[in-house]
Amino acid sequence: MKREACGSLRGKDAGRKVTLAGWVHRLRDLGSLTFVDLRDESGLVQLVFRELPQARKLSREDVIRVRGTVARREAPNPDLPTGEVEVVVDRLEVLSQTRPLPFSLEEEPPRASEETRLRYRYLDLRRPRMQRNLRLRHRTSMAIRDYLDRQGFIEVETPYLTRSTPEGARDFLVPSRLEPGKFYALPQSPQLFKQTLVISGVERYFQIVRCFRDEDLRADRQPEFTQLDLEMAFLEAPEELFALIEGLLAYVFRETIGVEFDTPFPRLSYDQALSRYGSDKPDLRFGLELVDVTKQFSASEMRLLREAVAAGGRVFALRVPGGAGFSRKELGELEGVAKTYGAKGLLWLARGEELRGPLAKFLPDPEPLWRATGAEPGDLLLLVADAFELAATALGQVRLELGRKLSLIPEGKWCPLWVVDFPLLEWSEEENRWSARHHPFTSPKAEDLPKLMDPSFPTERLGELRANAYDLVLNGVELGGGSIRIHRREVQQRMLEVLGIGPEEAEGRFGFFLRALEYGAPPHGGIALGLDRWVMMLAGEESLREVIAFPKTASGACPLTGAPAEVDPGQLAELGLEVKGD
RNA sequence: GGGGACGUGGUCUAGGCUGGACUAGGACACCGGAUUGUCACUCCGGAGAUCGCGGGUUCAAAUCCCGUCGUCCCCGCCA
């Protein structure tokens, strides 16, 4: 007889003979009467064993198959979809016995340590929440493919064994056996392949693809992660792409968790995002905006501020309504946040009965400051003075901390936006050169292109150039980013030159791509979205590991398989490798 | 590379500051027994840890100190 789904049985099935198979979810042994909740993918149903003593020997998570008759219950269980019925078993087969479980699958959140959960991931994944997350991820991928297919995109796979691309993160390397001493690199993203595909006439490409970066891990960062990678031909300005991605986001949120989005999404320039929210991925779910009060302090009697302004820095203020009563301890904690992000301190000014705070005696006339910030009696001002990005970022983190601390962040609110007009380049102190803020294939904005191409444009002013790049941000989380690409060989060449990559090096590392640009490359651009983070947000999880079936620990290890591991000396020899002791 | 938190039977945890009746307590799981309507079944009984590892201080260390390993979080890093 065919196996039926445990969770599908209802009152109307009463009297039917059924065969079920699944895991013993729970066992209630009353002597000559034993109840078992049987679980499969579809749900739970109660089994009744009368005069079947083998049932008393069962344990949780044993795998069994039973044959029996569906019967209406005398006392239905309203907490169970199948609660109106039970299955009176006449035949029991034990398909697989379990050892005692290493941890309980009952608790939510689980009480077992994450390491234990990962070591026995096959058990952990049986938990309803993890099953839900796996299925949510599946539905997300399905919705993405469905939407993009209907928009005329095709999914093309690109190599995992490839070569190192310039700049960016540390590569994972794979030694070549056929050419000892040479290495493949696992892709940090399929960047050059997708651009090459567009040049190949694939006008609308996408791929749900694994990417690899050998950097330190975080709660929202894994060494291998999945991107929705996408590229379009004849994209010269981002508008068309914005509309497409907004539609995609709206579709996926509707299909997976039933949330509706307003489109188009708001846009902020990088400068606005930083000046108003102290972040290039601002959380727009709450206000508490920063105010630039540099002008108010350009002639301050407080040397610290005056000098910061004189050195080209900025002073940002954050008004905390009703915050004048904050304790020294609370202020100290907030200062700790600012200092973590590089601020030298956090100045404060409480507008209470009297002015309090380190700034008070340097403010003969506070009125202009009240006007600039909107501070009212009872409010608190927090200030950071430093270089633009540092000051804004440090205070932006204080803003986020206050958002959490004061419970300003509403549940269930979704605030997407585009951040645009990023700097094209940023100065790398340690390497003493310009590096690409996005990546070396990003086009400058049309109006800045002449400056990039003009050899007489002063090098030190290259930081002024804006990129035709954009990030998609949702609730303070960077979901992804992309750009309009460079599609002209000479522009690409110049870009690489600015980055300190000379013609020979460029030729050696990706001459293939520069050549491709010479054979009819259409204007193009695209975006990559972090699928893991996306699903994490849909699932309401705090950690990426909750939406990845087999994730790595913070040290990059896999407790399930024991990876990474030493290998057989023979394998090393074949590869021409030798491990140096220390 | 740096900072912080944690590590006690299978699992989670109490104890640690103030070292000595800790012979390491509890809950869940496990084993044995009882049990005909349970649904976190219940009741009775039992076994199971020398406190991550190494060293030090001390008459005495789960407890204090140092080192180390592991896990988690953060800064740096992550185009």
Side-chain angles (χ1 to χ4, degrees):
Chain A
M1 210 191 303
K2 195 168 179 293
R3 176 168 84 97
E4 297 191 40
C6 294
S8 69
L9 299 178
R10 294 294 182 273
K12 63 178 165 49
D13 296 303
R16 283 181 50 219
K17 240 341 185 205
V18 292
T19 298
L20 304 172
W23 286 265
V24 172
H25 189 67
R26 241 183 233 128
L27 192 71
R28 292 177 293 279
D29 173 21
L30 275 62
S32 56
L33 180 70
T34 300
F35 297 97
V36 165
D37 292 333
L38 186 67
R39 184 190 77 234
D40 64 16
E41 244 185 23
S42 66
L44 286 182
V45 70
Q46 173 166 285
L47 309 179
V48 196
F49 297 84
R50 278 188 244 270
E51 317 299 334
L52 259 183
Q54 334 150 7
R56 304 178 62 185
K57 295 272 184 287
L58 293 172
S59 303
R60 283 178 183 196
E61 301 304 317
D62 281 342
V63 179
I64 61 173
R65 175 159 51 216
V66 296
R67 198 186 61 189
T69 310
V70 181
R72 280 189 184 277
R73 291 212 210 175
E74 293 166 22
N77 182 348
D79 298 332
L80 226 51
T82 60
E84 279 184 28
V85 295
E86 60 192 3
V87 174
V88 183
V89 175
D90 54 61
R91 204 178 68 192
L92 164 67
E93 264 180 279
V94 177
L95 301 177
S96 181
Q97 272 191 310
T98 180
R99 294 175 58 171
L101 299 177
F103 63 95
S104 165
L105 275 37
E106 300 278 317
E107 284 96 5
E108 186 58 55
R111 280 171 38 171
S113 71
E114 209 177 332
E115 198 184 357
T116 306
R117 291 174 53 206
L118 291 178
R119 178 167 302 124
Y120 298 94
R121 192 58 156 178
Y122 39 87
L123 293 176
D124 188 46
L125 291 175
R126 288 181 196 168
R127 294 169 37 241
R129 179 148 187 130
M130 297 307 282
Q131 287 283 317
R132 185 205 68 163
N133 289 355
L134 290 175
R135 284 171 168 71
L136 181 63
R137 186 170 181 134
H138 166 72
R139 281 191 287 123
T140 304
S141 303
M142 292 294 282
I144 290 170
R145 290 196 163 102
D146 180 33
Y147 178 89
L148 291 176
D149 176 60
R150 280 191 279 114
Q151 298 290 330
F153 284 79
I154 66 165
E155 184 163 21
V156 182
E157 290 165 274
T158 52
Y160 283 163
L161 295 176
T162 180
R163 61 180 297 164
S164 179
T165 43
E167 305 222 314
R170 199 175 291 114
D171 286 314
F172 277 101
L173 298 176
V174 178
S176 160
R177 175 181 57 84
L178 296 173
E179 297 193 50
K182 294 189 177 177
F183 294 83
Y184 301 98
L186 301 179
Q188 296 177 26
S189 86
Q191 185 60 34
L192 290 180
F193 287 111
K194 71 169 167 178
Q195 291 190 236
T196 303
L197 277 168
V198 171
I199 297 170
S200 309
V202 177
E203 294 188 20
R204 295 190 154 207
Y205 147 92
F206 85 100
Q207 185 180 191
I208 293 179
V209 63
R210 199 66 57 81
C211 303
F212 306 86
R213 294 177 191 175
D214 188 8
E215 297 291 349
D216 288 359
L217 286 77
R218 287 292 163 76
D220 62 352
R221 254 162 45 193
Q222 285 272 307
E224 52 178 310
F225 59 99
T226 304
Q227 280 190 346
L228 164 59
D229 194 49
L230 182 148
E231 197 79 6
M232 302 165 75
F234 304 104
L235 193 71
E236 293 178 80
E239 273 62 31
E240 187 186 346
L241 180 124
F242 286 177
L244 175 90
I245 297 298
E246 286 166 6
L248 171 69
L249 221 67
Y251 181 69
V252 170
F253 268 80
R254 189 183 311 126
E255 292 295 308
T256 52
I257 60 170
V259 166
E260 298 291 333
F261 275 23
D262 290 333
T263 56
F265 297 165
R267 294 182 208 176
L268 282 178
S269 72
Y270 171 81
D271 279 329
Q272 288 170 333
L274 223 50
S275 304
R276 290 174 54 189
Y277 299 95
S279 172
D280 61 0
K281 45 182 197 312
D283 189 340
L284 264 39
R285 287 175 299 174
F286 67 106
L288 217 63
E289 292 190 22
L290 277 51
V291 182
D292 187 336
V293 292
T294 309
K295 278 197 201 94
Q296 276 74 16
F297 292 98
S298 54
S300 172
E301 288 168 43
M302 195 170 190
R303 210 181 69 194
L304 194 150
L305 291 178
R306 198 176 57 239
E307 287 180 355
V309 175
R314 306 269 278 272
V315 186
F316 285 101
L318 189 63
R319 177 176 76 95
V320 188
F326 274 23
S327 67
R328 291 282 176 164
K329 181 169 174 250
E330 290 172 300
L331 291 163
E333 283 166 1
L334 293 172
E335 178 166 44
V337 172
K339 282 184 166 173
T340 298
Y341 290 87
K344 291 173 194 72
L346 181 69
L347 291 168
W348 59 277
L349 186 70
R351 188 177 183 187
E353 304 269 303
E354 57 197 65
L355 271 191
R356 289 189 306 116
L359 217 51
K361 62 181 170 198
F362 296 105
L363 261 186
D365 176 20
E367 267 316 312
L369 191 57
W370 300 154
R371 269 202 305 281
T373 58
E376 293 173 8
D379 289 356
L380 171 75
L381 289 183
L382 298 169
L383 296 95
V384 175
D386 216 305
F388 172 56
E389 294 193 9
L390 197 154
T393 302
L395 201 56
Q397 292 294 331
V398 172
R399 169 181 178 268
L400 287 178
E401 176 62 25
L402 282 167
R404 285 187 290 267
K405 182 183 155 75
L406 304 175
S407 304
L408 301 175
I409 305 174
E411 288 287 317
K413 192 170 177 183
W414 297 96
C415 294
L417 79 146
W418 294 102
V419 178
V420 300
D421 298 348
F422 281 87
L424 182 67
L425 300 162
E426 62 190 354
W427 185 254
S428 165
E429 285 297 341
E430 64 268 33
E431 292 177 84
N432 199 38
R433 64 172 182 87
W434 290 107
S435 66
R437 173 148 189 131
H438 185 56
H439 59 52
F441 312 103
T442 296
S443 170
K445 299 210 77 171
E447 60 269 31
D448 286 343
L449 183 59
K451 294 180 193 164
L452 178 69
M453 299 309 286
D454 177 2
S456 67
F457 188 78
T459 307
E460 61 275 14
R461 285 180 53 200
L462 284 169
E464 297 169 15
L465 305 193
R466 298 289 119 170
N468 217 335
Y470 31 83
D471 276 0
L472 177 60
V473 176
L474 180 58
N475 291 359
V477 174
E478 183 193 328
L479 267 191
S483 62
I484 305 297
R485 325 296 185 189
I486 295 168
H487 72 282
R488 283 166 44 203
R489 162 80 195 232
E490 66 276 18
V491 177
Q492 188 64 68
Q493 190 92 41
R494 169 64 183 158
M495 182 70 185
L496 295 170
E497 187 186 322
V498 164
L499 296 174
I501 302 173
E504 293 95 63
E505 189 187 351
E507 178 58 34
R509 293 177 71 177
F510 40 90
F512 79 93
F513 181 70
L514 296 175
R515 215 159 303 120
L517 289 178
E518 296 177 289
Y519 287 93
H524 60 286
I527 193 167
L529 304 181
L531 185 71
D532 312 272
R533 276 185 198 172
W534 192 352
V535 177
M536 178 173 107
M537 297 191 82
L538 292 169
E541 296 287 3
E542 297 291 325
S543 167
L544 275 193
R545 295 185 294 273
E546 300 297 313
V547 297
I548 296 173
F550 302 105
K552 307 271 188 293
T553 67
S555 58
C558 173
L560 178 69
T561 61
E566 290 170 354
V567 295
D568 190 274
Q571 286 180 285
L572 289 179
E574 270 190 326
L575 296 165
L577 295 180
E578 198 177 328
V579 175
K580 280 171 86 172
D582 36 40

